[in-house]
Amino acid sequence: MSATEKPTRASSSLGEVLSVNQLERLANHKYSASGVSVLEPILQPYWRWLVEQIPLWWAPNALTLAGLVINGLTTAILMIYCPDSRQPAPSWCYFLCALGLFIYQTLDAIDGKQARRTNSSSPLGELFDHGCDALSIVFVFIGTVMTVQLGTFPFLYFFTCISTLFLYYMAHWQTFCSGTLQFGFFDVTEAQIGVILAYLLSGFFGPSIWEVQIPYTGFETKLIPVAVSVTAGLVKIYDYFGIILMRGGVGKNGSTIAGTSVLSPSFPIGIWMIAAVWVWLNSPTKILENHPVLFAMTFGMVSSKLSNKLVVSHMSRSEMEIMDSCLVGPLLLVLNQYLRLTDDYVAMWLCFLFCTVDLLRYAINVCTAICNYMNIHCFSIQPVPSKASSSSTSHRNGGDVAHLSSEHSTH
C-alpha cells in the first residue's frame, strides 16, 4: 500500500482499532485551554530556562514518559514500606517521593515547550500527556495517603480515592462537552506542590507528625490535608457539573463536540463507581481495610483507561462508548463476591493484572495507530521515512498545537 492510500481501519496486532475518520479528526485536533493557576506564572521562568538545557534530540513524549516512570518507581518504593497505608517508612523514602513528583511535574510542564522548540508538535503529544497524567494521578494519590497514613480511616481513604480519580475524569468530561480544558485558580500544579510539601514534612519530622492531635478538636493533623483536598475537589466537581449540565455542550442542541449527549460519559464511570462501592462494602475479607493500596491501584487502572478513552473521544470527536473491556475486571469482582469462586485478595490481584494489561494494550495500540497514520515516531523527533513526504507532512501538521498552544502545560 502506498503512502497516499488510507486503510479503512488503523489497527495493530493487539486488536484495538481507530477508524480512519477518527484518525483524520484527531490529526486535525486543535488544543484549547483557558485559565491560569496561581503558581503557574511563578514557575514559568524556571520551566522556560530548564527546557533550554534539554538536548534538541530528546522527544517531548520521552520527557513525559521519563517523568511518569520516575514518579511510579519512587511511589512503588514507598508501597514496599507502607502496603496498608498505616506503617511509617524511612525518611529517605519520603524525600525520594518528593523528588520523583517534582521531576514528573517539571517534565510534564516542559514537554510542550520542547515540542514547540523542536517543531515536533502533534496531536499525539497532547494525548500522550493526558494519558500519562491519568496514570500519574493514581501514583500521587497512593503516595499521599501512605504519607499521612490514611489507612487508619477506611471511609476517608475510599472517599478520597474515588473523588480524586473521578475529578480527573470530570475535567475531561467537561472538555468533551465544551471543547476547552478549564484550569482553575487552584489546580493540578498547586495540588502537586501540596503533596510535595507533605512528603517533605514526613521526611523531616517523621510521619508521626500526621498523628498529632489538633488542640480542642480531638482530630489528628492528617485530616487537615484530607479536608483541604476533598473540599477543593468537590468544588471543582461542582463547577464541572455546572458547565456540563447548565451550559451544555458546544455541539448541536447542546450536545458534546461529538454530537452526543452530554450525559453519555456518565455511564462507564458510573459502572466503575458502583462496582467500587459494592466491592468495598460487601467484601467478606475487608479488602479495602487490609489491602488499600491494591484496591486503589486496581480501580485506578480502570479509571485511567476510561479517562484515556474519553480524551480520545474528545480529540477525535467520536462517541464515548458505554461499555469497555476494562470494566470486566470490576464486574467480575462483584460476581466473585456472590459466587465465592476465590478469595477476595486473589481476585483483586487478578483484576489488577487484567486491567493493567488492558490499559497498556490500549495505550500502545492507539499510539501505534496514530504514529502509522501521521507518519511520525512516538519517542523520537525524526519523521518516519516516506515515499510521499508531502502527504505525511500534511497529516503531521494538521494538529500542530499538540502539547501546548499557550504558556501552560496540558495537565
Side-chain angles (χ1 to χ4, degrees):
M1 180 179 292
S2 68
T4 57
E5 294 175 336
K6 297 180 182 178
T8 57
R9 305 287 286 184
S11 64
S12 72
S13 59
L14 295 172
E16 297 281 356
V17 292
L18 289 172
S19 70
V20 168
N21 287 336
Q22 286 178 298
L23 288 167
E24 287 178 344
R25 291 192 292 265
L26 195 148
N28 291 308
H29 168 76
K30 303 295 183 182
Y31 173 67
S32 175
S34 65
V36 178
S37 66
V38 62
L39 292 180
E40 200 170 296
I42 300 173
L43 294 171
Q44 282 293 346
Y46 163 66
W47 292 336
R48 293 192 195 100
W49 169 83
L50 183 62
V51 75
E52 295 297 327
Q53 318 308 313
I54 304 296
L56 290 172
W57 50 262
W58 201 336
N61 290 338
L63 289 174
T64 312
L65 182 61
L68 177 66
V69 170
I70 292 171
N71 187 26
L73 288 177
T74 55
T75 305
I77 293 173
L78 190 58
M79 290 180 191
I80 296 174
Y81 289 94
C82 309
D84 61 2
S85 301
R86 296 188 186 96
Q87 301 99 330
S91 295
W92 61 267
C93 284
Y94 301 113
F95 290 128
L96 190 64
C97 284
L99 178 62
L101 181 53
F102 178 75
I103 291 174
Y104 175 77
Q105 181 197 57
T106 300
L107 295 181
D108 187 42
I110 68 173
D111 54 6
K113 291 175 171 56
Q114 178 75 349
R116 294 196 305 275
R117 180 170 171 248
T118 57
N119 195 29
S120 59
S121 296
S122 74
L124 177 62
E126 180 184 342
L127 178 59
F128 196 87
D129 187 282
H130 292 318
C132 287
D133 285 345
L135 191 54
S136 176
I137 196 171
V138 180
F139 299 146
V140 173
F141 164 77
I142 292 175
T144 304
V145 294
M146 287 190 296
T147 299
V148 302
Q149 299 177 3
L150 196 59
T152 54
F153 293 91
F155 172 77
L156 285 179
Y157 187 103
F158 177 83
F159 184 79
T160 307
C161 174
I162 296 302
S163 60
T164 299
L165 300 178
F166 182 60
L167 176 61
Y168 185 82
Y169 185 87
M170 281 290 300
H172 292 283
W173 183 355
Q174 75 80 25
T175 306
F176 185 47
C177 296
S178 68
T180 300
L181 186 61
Q182 307 281 345
F183 292 98
F185 188 71
F186 182 89
D187 217 283
V188 177
T189 300
E190 289 70 28
Q192 291 173 336
I193 294 297
V195 173
I196 291 173
L197 290 176
Y199 284 142
L200 293 177
L201 286 173
S202 294
F204 282 116
F205 303 105
S208 59
I209 190 176
W210 305 110
E211 297 176 345
V212 175
Q213 295 287 321
I214 303 173
Y216 309 109
T217 66
F219 296 126
E220 297 179 348
T221 51
K222 69 176 67 177
L223 297 181
I224 296 176
V226 172
V228 171
S229 62
V230 168
T231 301
L234 291 177
V235 169
K236 290 289 293 184
I237 291 174
Y238 176 81
D239 291 341
Y240 289 147
F241 269 123
I243 295 173
I244 295 169
L245 300 178
M246 302 304 294
R247 299 185 194 174
V250 295
K252 186 177 180 180
N253 297 323
S255 62
T256 68
I257 60 174
T260 58
S261 169
V262 295
L263 296 179
S264 58
S266 66
F267 294 103
I269 200 66
I271 295 172
W272 168 81
M273 192 175 295
I274 292 171
V277 173
W278 186 274
V279 170
W280 168 44
L281 295 179
N282 294 279
S283 172
T285 60
K286 296 188 178 297
I287 188 70
L288 175 69
E289 289 81 354
N290 295 319
H291 307 284
V293 171
L294 178 60
F295 185 96
M297 284 293 293
T298 301
F299 283 92
M301 293 301 106
V302 179
S303 69
S304 295
K305 171 75 179 297
L306 294 178
S307 295
N308 274 278
K309 295 273 287 189
L310 186 55
V311 173
V312 170
S313 295
H314 160 229
M315 295 181 64
S316 63
R317 299 196 298 278
S318 55
E319 181 182 6
M320 177 66 179
E321 297 175 349
I322 294 178
M323 282 299 299
D324 185 79
S325 56
C326 68
L327 294 172
V328 172
L331 292 176
L332 287 178
L333 286 177
V334 173
L335 183 63
N336 180 67
Q337 290 185 344
Y338 272 111
L339 303 180
R340 299 289 191 270
L341 299 176
T342 186
D343 180 76
D344 271 5
Y345 179 66
V346 175
M348 188 66 74
W349 265 110
L350 292 175
C351 180
F352 167 70
L353 293 174
F354 170 80
C355 294
T356 301
V357 171
D358 184 63
L359 172 62
L360 292 175
R361 181 176 66 94
Y362 176 76
I364 292 172
N365 189 27
V366 168
C367 288
T368 301
I370 296 173
C371 287
N372 289 340
Y373 182 81
M374 300 184 68
N375 202 35
I376 57 176
H377 288 297
C378 188
F379 299 113
S380 62
I381 293 177
Q382 296 80 8
V384 177
S386 172
K387 295 180 181 179
S389 59
S390 60
S391 173
S392 63
T393 301
S394 66
H395 289 317
R396 188 167 171 267
N397 292 339
D400 195 27
V401 288
H403 273 89
L404 295 172
S405 61
S406 64
E407 280 302 307
H408 55 72
S409 64
T410 54
H411 291 286

